[in-house]
Amino acid sequence: MSVRQTRTRIKICGLTRAEDAVAAVKAGADAVGLVFYAPSPRAVDIETARAVIEAVPAFVSVTALFVNPEPAEVQKVLDSVRIDLLQFHGDEEDDFCSQFKHPYIKAIRVRQASDVVASCMRFPGALAILLDSYKPGVPGGTGETFDWSLVPDELPKPIILAGGLTTENLALGISTVKPFAVDVSGGVEASKGIKDHGKITEFVNEVYRVDQQPI
Ligand SMILES: O=C(O)c1ccccc1NCC(=O)[C@H](O)[C@H](O)COP(=O)(O)O
């Protein structure tokens, strides 16, 4: 019997409270995400981010998420708090994302298979490509899945699967896409920006369970 060779990494996104970061770390999350996009109900300012990040120890990555930001906005966050990874979730191009000389992830909202392959080529500087659901007028955090069959098997960049993941659909998502990592926000919440600690633990444990299944 063969099982997955690498553990599926886990990012819990849209944190607004230090206690939710403590719960995510305790459950075993590999990364936490902070949303610096003001229209989001999960948006944080720098002082809130600072309080959340103080609860995140070494070896757990802090991701700062932006949507078509002004460069100065990104630089101010980088200069103010510990950010391990930038995540660009808008229409940014590789040169924009790379200008900060900081590791970054590029999010793509998937409508067709060619979106995925093209994105891996368009963002040579990206550490990974985050595949999210497309919903007109909603840049992210939709709570909806996309058609996972659109994701080709072999891609030149590590893939982070996002968009409507829950403990209930996780096994199918991982077995279909075989991502390097999974990303969840709404699926582990009590309300927008307020995480449900039990749901976080159940989500992480389900990833562990799926990873142990024969492939
Ligand atoms: O989470 C948001 O509110 C958000 C708003 C605008 C751009 C991106 C946003 N989130 C980005 C993420 O990485 C989410 O975790 C991802 O979209 C999945 O969200 P969900 O479908 O709720 O699990």
Side-chain angles (χ1 to χ4, degrees):
M1 175 186 84
S2 62
V3 295
R4 289 180 203 292
Q5 295 309 303
T6 59
R7 181 173 63 79
T8 304
R9 270 42 177 197
I10 304 163
K11 172 178 168 247
I12 308 295
C13 196
L15 296 185
T16 62
R17 304 186 307 175
E19 61 256 47
D20 295 348
V22 171
V25 170
K26 186 178 177 184
D30 298 284
V32 295
L34 300 173
V35 177
F36 293 93
Y37 175 63
S40 167
R42 304 177 178 109
V44 293
D45 60 19
I46 286 177
E47 287 316 308
T48 302
R50 195 188 310 281
V52 174
I53 294 167
E54 282 173 1
V56 183
F59 304 125
V60 179
S61 297
V62 176
T63 302
L65 186 156
F66 299 90
V67 178
N68 301 321
E70 291 298 324
E73 180 188 350
V74 176
Q75 197 58 56
K76 181 178 180 186
V77 171
L78 287 174
D79 293 344
S80 304
V81 292
R82 168 202 151 197
I83 299 298
D84 301 303
L85 274 173
L86 295 172
Q87 178 176 322
F88 293 105
H89 225 98
D91 307 313
E92 306 87 355
E93 292 300 335
D94 186 60
D95 57 352
F96 177 92
C97 300
S98 300
Q99 71 182 290
F100 305 100
K101 309 291 186 239
H102 204 87
Y104 83 86
I105 301 166
K106 185 65 183 77
I108 301 300
R109 298 184 296 157
V110 179
R111 279 179 274 184
Q112 54 197 10
S114 59
D115 290 342
V116 180
V117 178
S119 302
C120 291
M121 313 312 285
R122 266 183 41 227
F123 294 95
L127 275 185
I129 299 293
L130 183 145
L131 301 180
D132 204 350
S133 301
Y134 175 80
K135 186 173 183 179
V138 183
T142 66
E144 298 175 8
T145 59
F146 65 90
D147 180 357
W148 297 329
S149 68
L150 292 175
V151 182
D153 286 337
E154 298 296 326
L155 289 167
K157 289 269 184 191
I159 295 300
I160 302 166
L161 179 62
L165 293 181
T166 67
T167 301
E168 291 69 35
N169 66 20
L170 202 48
L172 182 59
I174 291 175
S175 62
T176 305
V177 175
K178 303 176 184 61
F180 169 76
V182 291
D183 167 291
V184 64
S185 191
V188 293
E189 284 182 333
S191 60
K192 297 271 189 189
I194 305 298
K195 302 306 179 186
D196 178 312
H197 299 180
K199 286 185 177 180
I200 290 176
T201 302
E202 288 164 8
F203 187 90
V204 173
N205 290 342
E206 176 65 0
V207 174
Y208 290 170
R209 185 192 70 81
V210 171
D211 279 352
Q212 294 309 308
Q213 297 306 303
I215 51 176

